[in-house]
Amino acid sequence: MPKEKSLNEWRAMIDREADCVGIKPYSHNIITLALGAIAKKWGRDEANRAIENFGLEGMGWHRQK
């Protein structure tokens, strides 16, 4: 069984992929999956924090209420 990723691992994945949105295929999908995983385990506020910290709103993601 694969090891569950930590919040820092999910955030590092978003950080790596954010620079590749629109350049590298699937980066957008990977970020969406990472944000979903963060929201599921650590809550919507933490996912919103990642959107803000990584400047994802300018790339098409929106903070959830």
Side-chain angles (χ1 to χ4, degrees):
M1 179 178 276
K3 178 185 164 261
E4 195 169 308
K5 290 188 185 324
S6 70
L7 176 59
N8 286 336
E9 288 171 316
W10 285 117
R11 289 179 58 85
M13 184 182 300
I14 293 170
D15 191 30
R16 280 192 307 272
E17 296 297 328
D19 292 335
C20 301
V21 171
I23 299 168
K24 184 175 149 189
Y26 308 114
S27 289
H28 196 275
N29 302 64
I30 292 168
I31 292 171
T32 298
L33 289 170
L35 289 170
I38 290 170
K40 184 176 180 181
K41 180 145 187 182
W42 293 280
R44 188 179 299 152
D45 289 342
E46 193 62 48
N48 285 339
R49 190 171 297 114
I51 290 169
E52 184 177 324
N53 292 158
F54 296 109
L56 299 178
E57 285 188 299
M59 295 181 227
W61 285 273
H62 302 287
R63 295 171 48 90
Q64 301 295 308
K65 294 180 182 184

